[in-house]
Amino acid sequence: MASTNPSLHDSGASVSDTANEPTPRGAARRSQVAGAKPKRTRVRHRSALRKLRDYTAGKSDSGWPEFDALKPVLTFLAIPAVLVLLITASGVGWPTFILYPIAIALGLVVAASAFRGVELVLAVLLIYLPFSKIYVIPLAPGLNGTNALILLGLFAAILRLKATGQKISDFHPGAYLVFGFGFITSLSAFTIMQLPGGRVYLLYNEILSFKAWLDQFIFYFIVLMCVRDVQTAKRCIIYTMIGAALVVLYSVPEMLDKAGRSTIDKSRIGGPHLQSNNFGGFVAYTVLPLIALFVVYIKDVRAWLLTPYFLLTIKILITTFSRGAYLAIVVGGFLIAWLKGKSFLAWWAGVVLTLILIFPSVIPDSILARMGTLSS
């Protein structure tokens, strides 16, 4: 019997080709009335990790970012880097009447760049924010370097949205989870004000800490608005790696100064964050992209040049004595190895376990002592 479907003959499909197509719910119900059993198709749902691995395997834009776009930003960042080296080499602090004009001139260049693009503002934010507690840069009452850069980032993000015609609510699905978490945690300010004396305590003791908690979500919004293509995302990873390396190098003198002290609490380093757990988390999170880059290019000899930096970072991470940072680096390393491939994960997991079983002394006693206080 000839088919009455006009698209069947036009597309060249046969009746057998259309037999496996899913039928509408009404057609399936009529088939059941006629005594026919509808064929059920089993849909296999991929896990989120499998989707991520499939994406990175064949659909990602691999390779380093274009150096031509990196060059102007890195050239500007080299100016304060040279100044810091000169101040460090001189052994004495430079007077404020020299430092402040230089800082104002550099700040004006960053502010003017917001009218042309967001790249330099993002780079300065990514590198400066880890040092914002030790280099406050007071500009006016209630206005410091962190606040000024965040306001400048918001201004640059708004200009970019107007230039590209994008909507401010054009987020990817994961962004709503971050903003939801920020909203829920910010309600703690209202709950503490319900306690006797809570309002005074919040305003006079914890208002700066509460603002610092909200700043990270504002910064996330700025990055979300400004990074809308793969090349910009790659360059931001480079800036993050530069900032992370500077933080690790900055913490080396503190690590050497506190080495060999009598207790764990006296030996913990806080880095530029001035708090060991926050600093340990920052080191763990920021070294993971570099570890992922190393794993991708593990067969390239040049990738192994990062080994000294990894060893130094591990030493810094250990001396924070942050159990959360230890857990973060283990989970992050597991995810990187899993995305690389199951055989890669099995190989390195076997090597690590064998090494620990044969030479248990490879695990520092400080880590064992710190993990042994989980119940305390």
Side-chain angles (χ1 to χ4, degrees), residues 26-159:
R29 189 178 294 110
R30 288 193 297 270
S31 299
Q32 291 179 0
V33 174
K37 294 182 179 181
K39 184 178 180 181
R40 294 183 178 181
T41 58
R42 184 179 179 181
V43 180
R44 183 179 180 182
H45 297 282
R46 294 185 301 166
S47 63
L49 287 178
R50 184 177 294 276
K51 291 179 181 178
L52 180 60
R53 188 178 66 178
D54 293 343
Y55 179 81
T56 56
K59 298 182 180 180
S60 59
D61 186 2
S62 60
W64 288 90
E66 299 175 357
F67 183 75
D68 291 339
L70 281 171
K71 186 176 180 180
V73 177
L74 295 181
T75 302
F76 176 83
L77 295 178
I79 298 175
V82 171
L83 289 176
V84 171
L85 290 177
L86 292 176
I87 295 173
T88 305
S90 64
V92 294
W94 289 13
T96 56
F97 69 86
I98 296 179
L99 293 177
Y100 268 88
I102 296 176
I104 291 174
L106 294 176
L108 291 176
V109 173
V110 176
S113 69
F115 293 94
R116 301 189 303 270
V118 298
E119 191 92 2
L120 185 58
V121 178
L122 275 179
V124 174
L125 269 170
L126 288 170
I127 295 176
Y128 170 73
L129 284 184
F131 298 94
S132 59
K133 283 192 175 182
I134 56 174
Y135 300 114
V136 180
I137 311 180
L139 300 176
L143 182 64
N144 53 33
T146 304
N147 299 334
L149 282 175
I150 288 178
L151 291 175
L152 185 61
L154 287 173
F155 177 71
I158 293 173
L159 289 181

Side-chain angles (χ1 to χ4, degrees), residues 48-328:
L49 287 178
R50 184 177 294 276
K51 291 179 181 178
L52 180 60
R53 188 178 66 178
D54 293 343
Y55 179 81
T56 56
K59 298 182 180 180
S60 59
D61 186 2
S62 60
W64 288 90
E66 299 175 357
F67 183 75
D68 291 339
L70 281 171
K71 186 176 180 180
V73 177
L74 295 181
T75 302
F76 176 83
L77 295 178
I79 298 175
V82 171
L83 289 176
V84 171
L85 290 177
L86 292 176
I87 295 173
T88 305
S90 64
V92 294
W94 289 13
T96 56
F97 69 86
I98 296 179
L99 293 177
Y100 268 88
I102 296 176
I104 291 174
L106 294 176
L108 291 176
V109 173
V110 176
S113 69
F115 293 94
R116 301 189 303 270
V118 298
E119 191 92 2
L120 185 58
V121 178
L122 275 179
V124 174
L125 269 170
L126 288 170
I127 295 176
Y128 170 73
L129 284 184
F131 298 94
S132 59
K133 283 192 175 182
I134 56 174
Y135 300 114
V136 180
I137 311 180
L139 300 176
L143 182 64
N144 53 33
T146 304
N147 299 334
L149 282 175
I150 288 178
L151 291 175
L152 185 61
L154 287 173
F155 177 71
I158 293 173
L159 289 181
R160 179 178 176 84
L161 288 177
K162 290 185 177 180
T164 58
Q166 296 174 338
K167 295 182 180 180
I168 196 171
S169 59
D170 187 15
F171 302 144
H172 58 78
Y176 293 100
L177 180 62
V178 176
F179 290 132
F181 176 72
F183 173 76
I184 294 174
T185 54
S186 64
L187 296 178
S188 60
F190 299 96
T191 57
I192 195 174
M193 287 192 296
Q194 305 305 316
L195 300 174
R199 184 174 302 177
V200 176
Y201 177 78
L202 175 65
L203 293 177
Y204 290 94
N205 297 90
E206 296 296 333
I207 188 64
L208 293 179
S209 299
F210 181 72
K211 175 191 171 297
W213 176 259
L214 297 180
D215 283 344
Q216 60 184 332
F217 299 102
I218 299 175
F219 177 66
Y220 176 80
F221 172 78
I222 294 173
V223 175
L224 191 66
M225 292 295 97
C226 296
V227 180
R228 293 300 182 95
D229 59 271
V230 175
Q231 288 297 323
T232 305
K234 287 182 180 181
R235 293 193 294 270
C236 286
I237 292 296
I238 297 296
Y239 306 142
T240 303
M241 291 179 181
I242 293 174
L246 293 176
V247 168
V248 170
L249 295 176
Y250 174 88
S251 307
V252 171
E254 184 183 3
M255 177 190 67
L256 297 177
D257 180 61
K258 292 185 176 181
R261 295 194 177 183
S262 57
T263 63
I264 289 179
D265 290 335
K266 293 180 180 180
S267 302
R268 301 183 72 181
I269 64 175
H273 294 74
L274 306 179
Q275 209 281 339
S276 300
N277 292 326
N278 293 340
F279 175 57
F282 178 85
V283 173
Y285 301 150
T286 52
V287 77
L288 287 174
L290 200 57
I291 294 176
L293 184 67
F294 170 77
V295 170
V296 170
Y297 298 100
I298 195 171
K299 295 182 180 180
D300 193 335
V301 178
R302 293 172 295 179
W304 289 87
L305 297 176
L306 295 172
T307 303
Y309 174 74
F310 287 148
L311 295 176
L312 179 61
T313 303
I314 291 174
K315 180 60 177 177
I316 292 290
L317 192 65
I318 291 174
T319 50
T320 63
F321 293 96
S322 174
R323 292 168 294 196
Y326 298 161
L327 180 62

